[in-house]
């Protein structure tokens, strides 16, 4: 007598692809002008509310930097780092102060963002020495370009700036270090 031994099989596979994490920045607006600026020697340049090529004592100027994840990116956190100073800095950084607020993309970056009731979240307290080491918070940045972070800078040459500040320059370079979560 012969006994038949029938059998059958099922197989399964999966294609597994690692996600990506990338951010991009804009100095133009919360919706346009985004590009990569991943190198310290090739940053984008902030556009301030008034020229900073001849800043005078008692002047505060404002500028926005917008950051978001790219369309295919996962979520993460982003932390603003202590500025470094590029070639061309001749000492003005020791006279300048600044503050940075994290605003929504709909809020306006101007004096009202800092006083009397500040808007958004403090990233760097107003009147911090530009040359000071900072420890900034690391807010969450959503996936797929979901939410735009507007970093509002207020840069001040205090009225108490010494005469020796005349003609000096500062070229601060801020890194926004993002980490996938």
């Amino acid at each position: 007598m012969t006994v038949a031994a029938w059998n059958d099989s099922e197989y399964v596979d999966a294609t597994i692809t690692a996600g990506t994490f990338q951010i991009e920045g804009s100095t133009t607006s919360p919706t346009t002008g985004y590009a990569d600026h991943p190198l310290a020697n090739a940053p984008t340049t902030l556009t301030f509310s008034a020229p900073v090529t001849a800043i005078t004592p008692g002047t505060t100027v404002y500028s926005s930097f917008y950051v978001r994840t790219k369309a295919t990116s996962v979520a993460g956190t982003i932390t603003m780092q202590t500025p470094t100073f590029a070639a061309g800095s001749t000492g003005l950084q020791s006279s300048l102060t600044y503050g940075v607020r994290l605003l929504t993309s709909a809020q306006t970056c101007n004096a009202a963002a800092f006083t009397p009731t500040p808007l958004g979240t403090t990233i760097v307290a107003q009147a911090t020495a530009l040359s000071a080491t900072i420890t900034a918070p690391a807010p969450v940045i959503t996936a797929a370009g979901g939410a735009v972070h507007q970093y509002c800078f207020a840069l001040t040459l205090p009225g108490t700036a010494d005469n020796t500040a005349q003609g000096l320059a500062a070229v601060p370079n801020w890194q926004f270090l993002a980490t996938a979560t």
Side-chain angles (χ1 to χ4, degrees):
M1 169 176 332
T2 304
V3 178
W6 293 340
N7 65 41
D8 191 7
S9 298
E10 294 290 328
Y11 292 90
V12 65
D13 75 358
T15 300
I16 301 166
T17 305
T20 61
F21 181 68
Q22 297 173 308
I23 59 170
E24 57 189 356
S26 170
T27 58
T28 307
S29 83
T31 57
T32 63
Y34 284 92
D36 286 324
H37 311 98
L39 303 174
N41 63 352
T44 189
T45 300
L46 292 173
T47 302
F48 284 93
S49 57
V52 291
T53 53
I55 194 167
T56 56
T59 303
T60 300
V61 292
Y62 303 90
S63 183
S64 289
F65 181 57
Y66 303 93
V67 182
R68 67 181 183 191
T69 54
K70 287 193 170 186
T72 59
S73 180
V74 299
T77 59
I78 186 163
T79 308
M80 184 177 155
Q81 305 295 301
T82 298
T84 58
F85 296 91
S89 293
T90 58
L92 186 59
Q93 61 268 28
S94 63
S95 297
L96 294 167
T97 65
Y98 76 120
V100 180
R101 308 276 316 159
L102 177 59
L103 307 180
T104 68
S105 61
Q107 292 173 315
T108 302
C109 180
N110 58 23
F114 292 86
T115 57
T117 304
L119 301 176
T121 303
T122 299
I123 300 298
V124 177
Q126 183 68 2
T128 296
L130 185 59
S131 56
T133 300
I134 62 168
T135 304
V140 171
I141 190 164
T142 59
V148 173
H149 286 212
Q150 178 186 184
Y151 289 87
C152 176
F153 287 76
L155 182 69
T156 302
L157 181 58
T160 57
D162 191 89
N163 273 342
T164 59
Q166 292 185 62
L168 297 179
V171 185
N173 191 329
W174 288 278
Q175 178 187 19
F176 289 81
L177 182 60
T179 305
T181 54

